[in-house]
């Protein structure tokens, strides 16, 4: 059934069509110039009858000429959206061409992206009953795989036969693994940046066995979303920006910590939890609590990203990840041997880097490149001002090599 749905979704029409094969339909389109000869187009896609069953697709390309080097399809991290790949360097207006997506579009790639269905939900609206959030109970990893399949169908209609690289950071990497498992022939290369869906390490399996059981219990009790975790991160980031020296009012944070220290602690100290520590020793970014500073990340860049986090996370989605890492759920990794294309894995030593081996061994590929920064946390690659050295250039070198 799963692969039948995916095959059905792939048989979709062109991006600019008003209606696609049910249940998917492009219901809105908006384009605007980005500078440097680039244009951004955003598509609103209906994915079901519930009003919240919708998501965004984004396309960034040169305004003239085709994709000389093929297509890249970027998938979103858990905390945020495709905007992660659109984050520019510099002031709020940003420097044109400095985002990850624009970097590749300027170099001849047609860049596509998908944002999650839970994008844009206002904090507190679900708890207050302002909107009906019951649909979040169905937003699992499989629903995201199907959304990606729809996007892949649109790419196929626009660029028949063009090579497509699939990947992303964090959940984007996890989703890429599940998508390649479902349809290994649809993608020519994978970019796995800080994400896993399988491990045979006893410590990882044990940690996630507990998370898996806890999440299944929450779902059984009707707790279908997490509206707290993202809120804590966002509040810590905003307070660190507006009143860095003030004492943190966040519950469970030691009351003697300043707002800036609380942000560093939240992001740099391993804290057990399915999102905050899926593998031992995991933290978001390397930091020093004694100096309230980050070792590699630019504080302004980091805070801007964190304050844009989604307000809700579907528990069933996190359940699929935790239960996969626990070995309880196998449907998202059982077909990876059929993927034989080249793979680039990017990771941090305090992220998933020490646990990549078993995951990569499931693929049928013999062309696997691994780049680990031993001192980096989960998102240090992105948050450092030198992100181009750790993300864009390695990916570009990889894609150039595999297409030569």
């Amino acid at each position: 059934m799963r692969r039948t749905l995916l095959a059905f979704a792939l048989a979709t029409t062109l991006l600019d069509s008003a209606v696609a094969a049910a249940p998917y339909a492009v219901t809105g389109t908006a384009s605007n110039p980005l500078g440097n000869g680039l244009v951004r187009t955003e598509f609103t896609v209906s994915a079901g009858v519930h009003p919240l069953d919708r998501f965004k697709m984004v396309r960034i390309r040169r305004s003239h000429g085709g994709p000389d080097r093929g297509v890249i399809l970027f998938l979103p991290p858990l905390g945020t959206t495709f905007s992660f790949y659109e984050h520019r360097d510099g002031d709020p207006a940003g420097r044109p061409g400095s985002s990850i997506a624009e970097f590749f579009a300027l170099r001849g790639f047609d860049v596509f992206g998908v944002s999650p269905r839970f994008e844009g939900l206002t904090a507190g609206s679900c708890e207050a009953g302002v909107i009906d959030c019951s649909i979040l109970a169905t937003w699992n990893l499989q629903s995201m795989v199907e959304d990606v399949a729809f996007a892949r169908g649109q790419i196929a209609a626009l660029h028949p036969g063009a090579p497509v690289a699939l990947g992303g950071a964090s959940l984007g990497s996890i989703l890429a693994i599940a998508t390649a498992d479902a349809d290994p022939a649809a993608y020519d290369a994978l970019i796995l940046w800080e994400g896993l869906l399988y491990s045979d390490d006893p410590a990882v399996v044990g940690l996630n066995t507990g998370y898996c059981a806890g999440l299944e219990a929450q779902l059984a009790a009707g707790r279908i979303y997490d509206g707290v975790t993202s809120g804590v991160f966002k509040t810590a980031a905003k307070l660190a920006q507006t009143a860095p020296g003030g004492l943190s009012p966040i519950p469970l944070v030691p009351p003697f910590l300043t707002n800036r220290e609380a942000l560093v602690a939240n992001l740099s100290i391993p804290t057990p939890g399915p999102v905050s520590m899926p593998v031992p020793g995991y933290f978001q970014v390397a930091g020093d609590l004694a100096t309230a500073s980050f070792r590699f990340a630019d504080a302004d860049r980091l805070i801007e990203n964190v304050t844009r986090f989604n307000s809700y996370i579907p528990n069933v989605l996190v359940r699929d990840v935790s239960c996969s890492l626990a070995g309880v759920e196998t449907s998202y990794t059982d077909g990876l041997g059929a993927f034989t294309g080249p793979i680039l894995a990017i990771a941090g030593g305090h992220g998933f880097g020490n646990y990549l081996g078993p995951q990569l061994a499931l693929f049928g590929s013999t062309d696997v490149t691994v780049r680990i920064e031993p001192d980096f946390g989960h998102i240090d690659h992105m948050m450092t001002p030198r992100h181009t050295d750790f993300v864009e250039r390695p990916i570009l070198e990889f894609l150039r090599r595999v297409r030569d």
Side-chain angles (χ1 to χ4, degrees):
M1 179 64 176
R2 178 181 170 199
R3 285 170 170 76
T4 301
L5 286 170
L6 287 168
F8 178 75
L10 283 169
T12 50
T13 57
L14 291 173
L15 277 170
D16 59 357
S17 64
V19 179
Y24 289 92
V26 176
T27 59
T29 305
S31 295
N32 62 280
L34 294 175
N36 284 1
L38 299 179
V39 61
R40 180 188 190 273
T41 305
E42 181 175 283
F43 305 87
T44 301
V45 182
S46 172
V49 296
H50 193 283
L52 294 184
D53 253 339
R54 76 287 179 269
F55 65 95
K56 299 284 183 63
M57 292 190 305
V58 176
R59 181 188 187 192
I60 297 177
R61 62 185 176 89
R62 295 183 300 195
S63 56
H64 300 288
D68 301 328
R69 297 190 177 278
V71 177
I72 303 175
L73 176 54
F74 280 123
L75 307 180
L78 179 63
T80 182
T81 68
F82 180 72
S83 63
F84 181 85
Y85 306 103
E86 297 185 273
H87 186 112
R88 288 176 167 180
D89 293 339
D91 58 34
R95 178 167 57 83
S98 63
S99 74
I100 292 175
E102 292 169 352
F103 176 93
F104 289 102
L106 285 171
R107 286 158 179 80
F109 292 90
D110 205 344
V111 179
F112 287 80
V114 175
S115 289
R117 300 186 193 187
F118 44 96
E119 173 187 11
L121 298 180
T122 303
S125 57
C126 290
E127 294 87 340
V130 175
I131 55 176
D132 173 18
C133 294
S134 60
I135 194 67
L136 272 72
T138 70
W139 291 351
N140 60 359
L141 191 56
Q142 175 60 28
S143 71
M144 296 193 77
V145 169
E146 292 168 9
D147 293 348
V148 175
F150 174 82
R152 179 65 181 90
Q154 307 305 283
I155 293 169
L158 285 167
H159 302 302
V164 179
L166 175 73
S170 191
L171 178 65
S173 176
I174 290 168
L175 180 54
I177 293 168
T179 300
D181 178 79
D183 194 354
Y187 302 94
D188 298 272
L190 293 182
I191 302 161
L192 306 181
W193 171 9
E194 268 295 310
L196 294 179
L197 261 184
Y198 171 80
S199 180
D200 62 5
D201 185 288
V204 176
V205 172
L207 198 62
N208 284 277
T209 296
Y211 298 156
C212 175
L215 286 159
E216 289 186 329
Q218 289 182 41
L219 290 166
R223 294 175 57 186
I224 62 173
Y225 56 77
D226 176 1
V228 175
T229 301
S230 292
V232 170
F233 282 122
K234 290 167 73 172
T235 299
K238 289 176 181 177
L239 289 172
Q241 186 178 48
T242 59
L247 294 179
S248 175
I250 299 175
L252 302 181
V253 171
F256 53 82
L257 292 183
T258 67
N259 289 318
R260 178 60 176 257
E261 290 168 342
L263 178 64
V264 174
N266 272 319
L267 296 175
S268 302
I269 297 176
T271 306
V275 174
S276 58
M277 198 179 80
V279 298
Y282 177 105
F283 52 68
Q284 297 295 325
V285 292
D288 183 355
L289 187 57
T291 59
S293 62
F294 300 106
R295 289 186 61 192
F296 309 106
D298 175 77
D300 291 336
R301 182 178 178 83
L302 179 64
I303 288 171
E304 185 179 343
N305 271 275
V306 173
T307 54
R308 294 202 307 253
F309 274 10
N310 296 308
S311 297
Y312 294 97
I313 300 172
N315 279 338
V316 68
L317 172 61
V318 183
R319 176 266 169 208
D320 283 350
V321 177
S322 294
C323 292
S324 293
L325 288 172
V328 174
E329 174 66 75
T330 61
S331 65
Y332 297 108
T333 56
D334 55 4
L336 290 176
F339 183 84
T340 58
I343 299 171
L344 171 64
I346 298 173
H350 296 282
F352 289 106
N354 295 325
Y355 305 97
L356 285 173
Q359 173 69 83
L360 296 175
L362 292 185
F363 291 95
S365 176
T366 58
D367 184 351
V368 179
T369 302
V370 178
R371 296 180 63 101
I372 299 176
E373 292 298 326
D375 297 326
F376 276 14
H378 181 55
I379 55 172
D380 269 316
H381 293 82
M382 172 62 173
M383 297 308 155
T384 172
R386 294 180 55 207
H387 59 88
T388 304
D389 295 331
F390 297 107
V391 179
E392 290 98 308
R393 289 198 182 102
I395 293 175
L396 181 63
E397 291 169 5
F398 168 73
L399 294 178
R400 280 175 171 169
R401 178 181 64 79
V402 301
R403 289 191 170 91
D404 284 346

